[in-house]
């Protein structure tokens, strides 16, 4: 896999759309309930639309703090030299960019994302950086095209909220982790303190207008706000980790709970 930075469209999982079209509308796309295939298509449309200005918007919306959060994600992941890493929903590759030097020549990072525009930017970023231990794979978290027991660590930054079937994604991640391997998730959350929660909600209400100004796409940033609003609580996500068979599960709030890092470990023996 080394030196292979081309998006691997052959790794795209087989489509289940014909089955999903018949499914009830049970997945949240922001405040709407939609079918699995509709959610997947609409999320893909969002990231296709914003890909070119994605990094700029992250810096503007977060006033740069997303960079700090991502460094904390890497820190909590506990990545070592020689590790095999999956950076899932890796998008424009900034987390992989933080990691590739640490894993070194004996390690490897797979940047995985279903959106071609996002992963192409990520691939180019890593090529420009001269990373030769990274490959790119076009796939969804719900159907990972990797063998069981492949990765030492999985990192996942601001992607989980967008997954169609989050439990299935955790199950797939667990399958592809080596025994004792871990998944670390950075995601938006809602502060518990009411004052901060209100302030943060007011601040986020600026994002769709900013998105419209920078990208010409207000709807995608309205979706962003709504998806944060409907995302499960930190405690519920810890429970989901446990249900999916992880151990040593915990979370830590960042900046009073505007985001959180969750971590779970695949048991050494099942
Ligand atoms: N990790 C990058 C970061 O932190 O900046 C990108 C995060 S971006 C908000 C969310 C990413 O999740 C998008 O690139 C999107 O294509 C990807 N994504 C959406 N649905 C997905 C799924 N079902 N499986 C894997 N990735 C998905």
């Amino acid at each position: 896999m080394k030196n292979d930075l081309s998006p691997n469209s052959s790794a795209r999982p087989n489509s289940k759309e014909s089955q999903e079209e018949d499914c009830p509308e049970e997945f949240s796309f922001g405040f709407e309930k939609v079918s699995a295939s509709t959610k997947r298509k609409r999320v893909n449309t969002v990231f296709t639309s914003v890909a070119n200005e994605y990094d700029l918007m992250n810096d503007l919306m977060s006033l740069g703090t997303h960079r700090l959060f991502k460094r904390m994600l890497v820190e909590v992941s506990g990545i070592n030299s020689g590790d095999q890493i999956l950076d899932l929903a890796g998008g424009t590759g900034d987390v992989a960019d933080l990691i590739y030097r640490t894993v070194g020549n004996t390690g490897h990072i797979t940047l995985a994302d279903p959106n071609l525009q996002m992963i192409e930017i990520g691939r180019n970023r890593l090529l420009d950086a001269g990373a030769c231990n990274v490959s790119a794979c076009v796939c969804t978290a719900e159907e990972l095209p990797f063998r069981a027991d492949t990765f030492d660590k999985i990192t996942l930054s601001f992607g989980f909220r967008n997954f169609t079937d989050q439990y299935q994604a955790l199950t797939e991640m667990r399958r592809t982790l080596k025994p004792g391997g871990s998944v670390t998730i950075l995601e938006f959350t809602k502060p518990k303190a009411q004052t901060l929660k209100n302030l943060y909600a007011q601040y986020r209400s600026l994002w769709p207008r900013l998105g419209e100004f920078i990208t010409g796409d207000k709807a995608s940033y309205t979706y962003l706000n709504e998806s944060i609003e409907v995302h499960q609580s930190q405690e519920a996500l810890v429970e989901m980790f446990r249900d999916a068979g992880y151990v040593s599960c915990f979370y830590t709030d960042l900046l009073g709970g505007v985001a959180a890092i969750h971590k779970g470990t695949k048991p050494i023996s099942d």
Side-chain angles (χ1 to χ4, degrees), residues 39-40 43-44 47-48 54-55 58 66 70 73 87-95 111-116 118-119 139-144 155-165 169 186-188 223-224:
K39 172 152 186 178
R40 204 171 52 218
V43 166
N44 201 46
F47 289 102
T48 299
Y54 176 82
D55 291 322
N58 273 355
H66 77 105
K70 286 168 181 168
L73 166 76
D87 184 38
L88 188 54
T92 58
D94 55 355
V95 171
L111 177 70
D113 197 287
N115 185 277
L116 284 171
M118 294 288 282
I119 203 168
C139 63
T140 66
E142 292 86 349
E143 267 182 291
L144 295 174
T155 51
L156 174 43
S157 164
F158 297 120
F160 193 72
R161 215 173 0 98
N162 299 290
F163 293 174
T164 305
D165 189 334
L186 168 63
E187 190 49 272
F188 286 114
Y223 160 71
L224 168 62

Side-chain angles (χ1 to χ4, degrees), residues 8-27:
N8 176 8
S9 50
S10 67
R12 205 183 273 261
N14 292 332
S15 170
K16 287 187 174 171
E17 279 183 16
S18 53
Q19 294 167 28
E20 287 170 352
E21 292 299 354
D22 300 324
C23 285
E25 305 199 331
E26 57 185 351
F27 297 93

Side-chain angles (χ1 to χ4, degrees), residues 20 22-23 40 84 90 101 109 125 135 139 151 161 165 173 187 193-194 210 214 225 251 259 263 270:
E20 287 170 352
D22 300 324
C23 285
R40 204 171 52 218
Q84 304 297 309
R101 289 179 196 83
I109 302 172
R125 178 202 294 264
S135 59
C139 63
F151 301 107
R161 215 173 0 98
D165 189 334
M173 288 187 255
E187 190 49 272
Q194 198 57 46
L210 182 66
I214 301 288
N225 264 341
Y251 76 89
K263 185 170 182 178
D270 283 316

